[in-house]
Amino acid sequence: MRSSSTRPPSAAGPTPSETDGSAVVLSSVALVEADAAPGTGVTLPAGRLAGLDGLRAIAVIAVVLFHLFPSLVPGGFIGVDIFFVISGFLITGLLVAEHERSGRLGLGRFWKRRVRRLVPPIVPLVLVGCSAAWLIGGDVLIGLGSQLLGAATFGYNWVAILADTSYFSADQPELLRNLWSLAVEEQFYLLWPLALLALLRIRRGGLRLTLVLGLAAASAAWMAALFVDGGDPTRVYYGSDTHSFGLLIGAALALALRRTCLEDQASPVTAGLARLRPWLGGLALALVTAGFWVLSDDGAAAYRGGLVIISLLTAVVIWAAVRGDAFGRALDVTPLRYLGERSYGIYLWHWPVLVLVQLAWPASQHAALPIGVTVGVVTLVAAAGSYRWLEHPIRRFGVRGCWRALAARAPTSRRRGPTIRLLAVAVVTALLAAGTLAALATAPAAAAAQVAIARGQA
């Protein structure tokens, strides 16, 4: 989907990601578990995997530029697929490491961490976005109830498919459209640990890897089979069945690295790959970057192999980066690392902000640069606030831990600051909740143009 100045956008996420896209950022517990980076054989400071923040930054920059200036970066939508590969790699590596360490998978704890990571930043986004949409009014409120249902259930992609909503339509400004990729990732997080439990019962690592790659190939083949030339590709783009190959390729990479780190590291093949690794990673990254201009969201090339190639190249970039040599450190230069750490918030906020600013400023359709700068600044401020006051504290202490920390700062008779701040937060939250309910209550059933046509016919 692209910007409504031309066409609506295509993706956003992250994370995933943990997307992030769907912005893919580990929780504090997961960071500790990732110290012996999934299958890398390398221990990194503070549990960080070299290069991943920089790669997230490149992915989210591509997605944002694609939405703001689609003619400038026509293939920027592939940033979502980069997020998918990172997500599959990290999640599988953490699960396999836990299984090797304890002989089991704590599924309840795993799912709880995923919810704790993904949900809190979405709550203020929904409340602020819906309240602002209510103040603006008009077509942006159409279908808001189903969008909120999709956001609440992490089933946005299937809700949109069942509603026959086009991801590529510029006629209907969907406020929360970018949450489709989070839905794909969360559904993967729900089902993949169960499948992985069965896979880990297979003692032959090569067979496990082959099965995962087979699932990825099946998903990619299903996308190619369902794609119709000249038709709307929303179904194949949104579908968890057709668009899971990136997550599975990332999972296969984690299994492969876990396997190779247990094998002979002194073999000639391993030594040769180690010498070529930075060069292969750089070449793969250059090819991924070229995809930002070569692929298009309405071309058959993307859905019949293009997105799969981008996912495979991304896996090569990750493989070259996380080994801890110069290539990974080069990806983590300070600006990219800053954006990568906040990529989840950037992904979440940029699309609703774009939709609302375009509706509030109709002239924006003829002022791409001013609108792009405005949306970019607002998005960065919102993402920075989300990271500092919401995402980072919750990752460190959890929701209950943050609440206990606030309660511990309850004032004495000489110190009322914390209470005033808590009351202010409560009042603002109540007002935003009321605005969201008002938006749902006043949402029109049809677009203004459809109503006008119907009146003319009558």
Side-chain angles (χ1 to χ4, degrees):
M1 173 183 90
R2 296 184 175 177
S3 160
S4 56
S5 58
T6 55
R7 286 192 300 160
S10 131
T15 196
S17 118
E18 279 198 314
T19 141
D20 56 32
S22 293
V24 188
V25 183
L26 293 172
S27 68
S28 57
V29 176
L31 280 169
V32 173
E33 293 174 347
D35 277 347
T40 65
V42 176
T43 299
L44 299 168
R48 291 187 62 257
L49 296 182
L52 292 193
D53 280 331
L55 189 56
R56 291 186 190 104
I58 292 171
V60 81
I61 289 171
V63 170
V64 172
L65 288 178
F66 171 72
H67 292 163
L68 296 178
F69 310 108
S71 60
L72 181 65
V73 190
F77 68 100
I78 67 177
V80 171
D81 293 270
I82 297 174
F83 280 127
F84 282 171
V85 179
I86 297 173
S87 294
F89 170 72
L90 289 175
I91 293 305
T92 304
L94 293 174
L95 289 170
V96 172
E98 179 183 357
H99 187 270
E100 291 181 350
R101 185 176 60 251
S102 64
R104 59 187 297 274
L105 294 182
L107 296 182
R109 188 172 68 253
F110 168 79
W111 287 323
K112 181 180 179 181
R113 288 200 306 264
R114 300 285 72 74
V115 170
R116 187 175 69 184
R117 171 66 185 113
L118 294 175
V119 171
I122 294 177
V123 174
L125 171 80
V126 168
L127 294 178
V128 172
C130 290
S131 297
W134 172 62
L135 293 174
I136 295 173
D139 292 353
V140 71
L141 298 176
I142 297 174
L144 189 59
S146 62
Q147 293 182 57
L148 289 177
L149 175 64
T153 60
F154 283 104
Y156 192 99
N157 57 331
W158 293 112
V159 170
I161 289 172
L162 292 174
D164 199 24
T165 301
S166 174
Y167 176 74
F168 303 93
S169 171
D171 300 329
Q172 177 57 51
E174 286 182 80
L175 183 67
L176 303 176
R177 183 175 291 183
N178 58 326
L179 297 187
W180 76 269
S181 63
L182 296 183
V184 172
E185 288 198 19
E186 190 65 15
Q187 290 156 32
F188 177 79
Y189 297 156
L190 180 64
L191 298 176
W192 178 241
L194 301 175
L196 189 60
L197 271 175
L199 285 172
L200 291 176
R201 294 180 180 274
I202 301 174
R203 293 186 176 276
R204 294 170 55 192
L207 179 57
R208 285 201 301 261
L209 188 59
T210 300
L211 290 174
V212 176
L213 289 175
L215 289 174
S219 176
W222 189 227
M223 170 181 275
L226 290 187
F227 176 78
V228 177
D229 288 313
D232 188 329
T234 297
R235 166 62 183 88
V236 298
Y237 194 67
Y238 270 1
S240 304
D241 52 344
T242 53
H243 209 156
S244 290
F245 48 83
L247 291 156
L248 291 165
I249 288 171
L253 175 64
L255 291 173
L257 290 183
R258 173 64 65 182
R259 182 180 179 219
T260 54
C261 82
L262 299 176
E263 295 175 349
D264 182 13
Q265 297 297 303
S267 68
V269 175
T270 302
L273 285 176
R275 288 192 297 270
L276 291 175
R277 190 163 52 228
W279 301 100
L280 293 174
L283 176 61
L285 181 60
L287 292 174
V288 168
T289 304
F292 298 155
W293 289 276
V294 172
L295 296 177
S296 63
D297 62 354
D298 57 358
Y303 307 102
R304 289 179 174 161
L307 296 180
V308 179
I309 293 173
I310 292 298
S311 299
L312 291 170
L313 290 171
T314 300
V316 175
V317 175
I318 295 172
W319 164 75
V322 299
R323 290 294 187 172
D325 53 25
F327 177 69
R329 293 193 296 272
L331 270 178
D332 274 343
V333 294
T334 301
L336 290 182
R337 181 175 174 182
Y338 177 90
L339 293 175
E341 290 173 340
R342 292 154 183 80
S343 57
Y344 183 45
I346 293 172
Y347 175 77
L348 284 180
W349 283 94
H350 84 280
W351 174 248
V353 170
L354 174 61
V355 170
L356 293 171
V357 169
Q358 286 178 333
L359 290 173
W361 184 10
S364 64
Q365 292 188 1
H366 308 289
L369 184 58
I371 204 70
V373 172
T374 301
V375 172
V377 170
V378 174
T379 297
L380 286 176
V381 170
S386 175
Y387 181 81
R388 178 175 179 179
W389 290 304
L390 194 62
E391 298 171 51
H392 188 61
I394 289 177
R395 278 210 308 273
R396 288 189 63 193
F397 307 113
V399 175
R400 278 186 281 187
C402 289
W403 180 256
R404 284 195 296 266
L406 287 173
R409 298 178 62 187
T412 63
S413 58
R414 295 174 297 172
R415 185 178 163 198
R416 301 187 179 277
T419 294
I420 293 175
R421 286 195 293 271
L422 286 174
L423 286 175
V425 169
V427 170
V428 170
T429 302
L431 290 174
L432 292 175
T436 301
L437 293 175
L440 287 171
T442 58
Q450 292 175 323
V451 173
I453 292 173
R455 287 176 178 172
Q457 291 174 341

